Structures are given as structure tokens and as C-alpha cells.
Amino acid sequence: MADGIFHDFFGGLISGSAGVLVGHPFDTVKVQLQVQAKGNSYKNVWDCIDTIKKQSWSKGFFRGLSWPMLSAGVINSVFFGSYNQILKVMGTSADKQHDHPDYLKIVIASGMAGVFQLIIACPIEVIKVVLQSQIPHGKDKGLKFYKGPVEGVFDIVKHRGFSGMFRGLSSQLPRDVIASSIYFTVFEFTSYEGNKHLKTVPHPVINFMAGGLAGVVSWATIVPFDVLKSRMQADVDKKLYNNLMDCVAKTYQEGGIKIFYRGIGVICLRGFPVNAVTLMVYAEYMKLFDAKFLP
């Protein structure tokens, strides 16, 4: 039992950190595109990339990396661990699901796992988004600037209380529940069919491709919620948006429906390598220690 918990945590730490390292530059570009206000937005994705590139690597593409790197393992541990435990409560397990998928149970278990990890994930997202949104651009140069995550946490808690660390929860909750359900369902289906029909292809390759596809499909589905989440969390002092509906209305007035899909290209481009690496690394780690999760 203790062994299983240790491997869930350490496997999550390694796979989550690997995924974050691969995807953080894409994530920084995504956040920058999503939080720019009307009259101060980038001309296109390349304009955004060029602006970020002018900063040093630590202040540009990898700004705010330390926070998600340190926390990705905990989030992944809660997410994967909850998924496995909920399946067991329903009378099955992740490795059995891979042999004989029950997609209804997969949807329920993964959606609930998405809820459980929010307790950790929401505060982490708040700091990550705030730090990433502070890369100087146009008229934003005079805004408050945090040197790092610790300073950001203390300032937010001081001025907004602990509730400030859960800014954007109203949009992150549906985002994570929907994305989690789609994520594991697409992964289990693709992995199951791949291993069933592509006997000569190594399991790690199939898991890599299945994880990448699951990441792209799940992220592409929830882009509007992600845009709203990023905007609300970047506005941690509530200077622009009072609540979710206020953010929806003002965002729509700013750019219509298309603004809710801002950054979708970068999101999908990021979604494949991040999730492909995360699930493949996790699966290989669990196999190494005979802690079954995936084939």
C-alpha cells in the first residue's frame, strides 16, 4: 500500500515535471495571447513570440516555470491517484480498464479526479498566469511586477486574502472536469485500439501517440473556459472583472466569439508533446516498478 502511494507520487512528480518542461514555453505564449486587452494586443502569434524572445529565457518563455515545476508532481499524483482510487471504488482499476474499457466509468472517474486536483491546481495556476502575464508589452509596462512566485503569493494573500489564490475557480472547475473526462476517455480508447490492432508497434510509442492525441482533443474542447480562466487569474486584483459572467460579457464585447478561441493554435501545438511525454513517462515509470497503471 505504502509502495503504491510512493510510486503514484514520485511517478507523478517525474512525469508532471517532464511535461511542464516541454510545454511551458508554449503555455507562456498562450497566456500572453489570452490576457492582452483591446488596443494592446499582439498582431499575431509570431508578434507575441518575438516580444517574449526579447526577454531572457528565464524572464521570457520560461517565466514562472519554477512554480509549476515544483507543483506538477503533486497535481499529477492527486490526479492519477484519484482516478485509480475512484475506479477501484466502482469495482475496477486502470489496468483492467485498458484491457476492457468501460467508458462511462472512465468519464466519471476522470471527471471527479479533475475536481479533486483543483484544490492544489487553482492556486498554482493563479501564480503561473500572473507571472506569465507580466512580460512587458505595449502599455502594460507600468503594471505591478513580481520577481517570482513567493513574492506573488505573499502579495496576493496580503491584499486579497486566501480567496485570491482561488481566483478564476468558477471557470477552471468546468475547464478541468470536461478536459479530464475527455483526456482519459480519448487516451484509453486510442491506447486500447492501438495495442489491439498494432501488435508490432512498441507500447511506449502507442502510449506516446495516445497521450498526445488525448491532450490535443481535450485542450481544443475547453479553450473558451481556458481564456476566461487566464483573464480572471491575470486580473487577480479584480480591476477588470468582478466575476465569471462579467468576464464573459466584457470579453465578448471586446472581440466577439473568436476571442474565446484566442491562442487555440498554440494550445493544440503544446497539448500534444506535453501530454504525450507525461503519460508515456508515467506509464514507463509504473511498469519499471510493477505498479500497474498502463500496459
Side-chain angles (χ1 to χ4, degrees):
M1 183 75 166
D3 254 8
I5 294 172
F6 172 79
H7 289 310
D8 271 349
F9 177 80
F10 201 63
L13 174 65
I14 294 173
S15 62
S17 298
V20 168
L21 189 61
V22 170
H24 198 75
F26 295 99
D27 194 60
T28 299
V29 174
K30 178 206 77 167
V31 169
Q32 277 284 304
L33 288 170
Q34 291 177 339
V35 303
Q36 294 305 305
K38 188 176 182 180
N40 192 40
S41 58
Y42 295 105
K43 296 175 185 176
N44 49 47
V45 174
W46 297 112
D47 181 34
C48 180
I49 292 173
D50 188 56
T51 300
I52 297 172
K53 194 167 63 175
K54 290 175 182 175
Q55 309 295 314
S56 65
W57 280 95
S58 62
K59 293 181 180 179
F61 289 111
F62 288 98
R63 177 156 177 75
L65 174 64
S66 60
W67 186 254
M69 275 287 284
L70 290 170
S71 54
V74 181
I75 294 175
N76 258 27
S77 177
V78 172
F79 185 50
F80 286 117
S82 298
Y83 175 65
N84 278 301
Q85 291 303 310
I86 294 166
L87 283 177
K88 287 177 182 177
V89 168
M90 292 192 291
T92 183
S93 62
D95 53 303
K96 288 180 181 177
Q97 285 290 1
H98 190 83
D99 293 331
H100 305 285
D102 183 331
Y103 294 110
L104 178 59
K105 289 182 179 179
I106 291 170
V107 168
I108 294 171
S110 54
M112 291 178 68
V115 174
F116 292 146
Q117 54 91 36
L118 273 171
I119 299 171
I120 304 165
C122 191
I124 289 167
E125 282 287 304
V126 168
I127 290 299
K128 179 182 73 66
V129 169
V130 167
L131 290 173
Q132 289 173 321
S133 67
Q134 291 177 337
I135 292 173
H137 172 64
K139 300 173 186 176
D140 288 339
K141 292 180 180 178
L143 296 178
K144 184 187 292 184
F145 188 88
Y146 298 127
K147 294 177 182 177
V150 175
E151 183 181 346
V153 170
F154 276 102
D155 186 72
I156 290 170
V157 172
K158 179 181 178 181
H159 293 98
R160 302 299 307 171
F162 284 103
S163 63
M165 296 302 298
F166 288 89
R167 175 77 165 151
L169 180 61
S170 56
S171 52
Q172 190 169 345
L173 174 61
R175 184 199 78 153
D176 285 9
V177 170
I178 294 169
S180 298
S181 298
I182 294 172
Y183 180 66
F184 270 119
T185 304
V186 171
F187 175 75
E188 293 286 6
F189 175 80
T190 308
S191 188
Y192 173 73
E193 292 297 327
N195 283 295
K196 181 179 178 181
H197 298 292
L198 304 173
K199 302 291 187 183
T200 59
V201 180
H203 288 318
V205 174
I206 291 176
N207 288 334
F208 182 89
M209 298 303 294
L213 180 62
V216 171
V217 174
S218 59
W219 271 105
T221 306
I222 50 81
V223 173
F225 290 109
D226 192 58
V227 169
L228 293 169
K229 180 198 74 72
S230 293
R231 287 185 159 233
M232 291 184 71
Q233 290 178 340
D235 178 45
V236 73
D237 290 325
K238 295 188 177 182
K239 292 180 179 179
L240 298 175
Y241 314 114
N242 296 320
N243 51 48
L244 177 59
M245 294 313 297
D246 185 39
C247 184
V248 171
K250 289 178 179 176
T251 301
Y252 181 79
Q253 288 172 2
E254 185 180 322
I257 291 295
K258 68 178 182 180
I259 199 171
F260 291 99
Y261 290 89
R262 184 181 283 178
I264 188 170
V266 175
I267 288 172
C268 291
L269 189 62
R270 169 188 177 271
F272 190 92
V274 170
N275 294 285
V277 168
T278 298
L279 279 166
M280 185 188 70
V281 170
Y282 192 83
E284 291 307 301
Y285 174 88
M286 298 300 271
K287 276 203 310 182
L288 182 65
F289 293 96
D290 294 321
K292 285 188 176 181
F293 173 73
L294 299 168

